[in-house]
Amino acid sequence: MRTGTIRLNGYRLEYELRPLAARTGYEAWVRTAPHHEWTRIGVGDSTFVSEDAALKGIRYAAGEISARRLQA
């Protein structure tokens, strides 16, 4: 499992890449603070084929979360 953080527009997003046991690929999970619950990135049974693809998906999610916070 790989973990890290992304900072975007003053916000911090923690992530975990969890390798799949049954097939090749990764699930990506994010949270906005240590006390918040983890949220899976993707819909249904979708996964990322590589760590690079998962990190790109996480960066996209970070942009979406930042945009939602700016609108609130």
Side-chain angles (χ1 to χ4, degrees):
M1 181 171 8
R2 182 175 174 186
T3 61
T5 59
I6 293 175
R7 294 188 189 278
L8 183 66
N9 296 332
Y11 295 105
R12 181 174 159 247
L13 184 69
E14 293 182 69
Y15 69 85
E16 281 187 0
L17 300 183
R18 301 176 185 174
L20 300 172
R23 59 183 184 186
T24 304
Y26 296 88
E27 289 182 335
W29 294 77
V30 298
R31 65 183 177 183
T32 55
H35 61 280
H36 291 163
E37 291 188 29
W38 289 98
T39 301
R40 184 168 175 251
I41 301 260
V43 178
D45 197 27
S46 66
T47 60
F48 296 97
V49 295
S50 68
E51 283 188 28
D52 187 50
L55 290 173
K56 287 179 183 176
I58 291 168
R59 288 186 201 292
Y60 177 79
E64 289 293 312
I65 290 169
S66 179
R68 284 188 209 134
R69 284 183 173 174
L70 291 173
Q71 289 176 353

